[in-house]
Amino acid sequence: MSSGPVVAMVWQGLDVVKTARAMIGETNPADSRPGTIRGDFCIEVGKNVIHGSDSVESARREISLWFREDELICWEDHAEHWIHE
């Protein structure tokens, strides 16, 4: 995370860690499926283009490395009641 520009984000949503990990791909890019970020854009584990937390607990710890609590805004989609029960 110190070798180039970083864009830090916090995602929220139902099963967000599981869903994000599926979008990101396997840690080893060679094991990642095409269509995932690592599968399409990574070559080596050591030069990984993306990081994603592997659990909610890890996410909480890692979020605190980049953001203060008062910097986070909980965004709510007004259409959410049409999507989730």
Side-chain angles (χ1 to χ4, degrees):
M1 289 185 269
S2 62
S3 65
V6 173
V7 177
M9 293 184 231
V10 178
W11 295 351
Q12 68 181 35
L14 184 65
D15 294 324
V16 69
V17 172
K18 180 181 174 183
T19 303
R21 301 289 294 178
M23 290 171 37
I24 291 169
E26 300 296 324
T27 301
N28 183 348
D31 297 334
S32 294
R33 299 177 64 168
T36 64
I37 295 169
R38 288 182 179 142
D40 289 352
F41 300 107
C42 294
I43 298 172
E44 299 177 10
V45 174
K47 295 289 185 183
N48 218 338
V49 72
I50 190 167
H51 169 76
S53 302
D54 60 359
S55 68
V56 173
E57 294 78 24
S58 293
R60 286 190 179 112
R61 183 179 53 77
E62 293 168 356
I63 290 166
S64 72
L65 297 173
W66 297 96
F67 301 98
R68 293 185 321 259
E69 187 69 31
D70 64 342
E71 293 179 310
L72 299 174
I73 298 169
C74 184
W75 179 79
E76 293 185 30
D77 185 352
H78 293 287
E80 187 169 343
H81 71 279
W82 294 104
I83 299 169
H84 301 289
E85 291 187 53

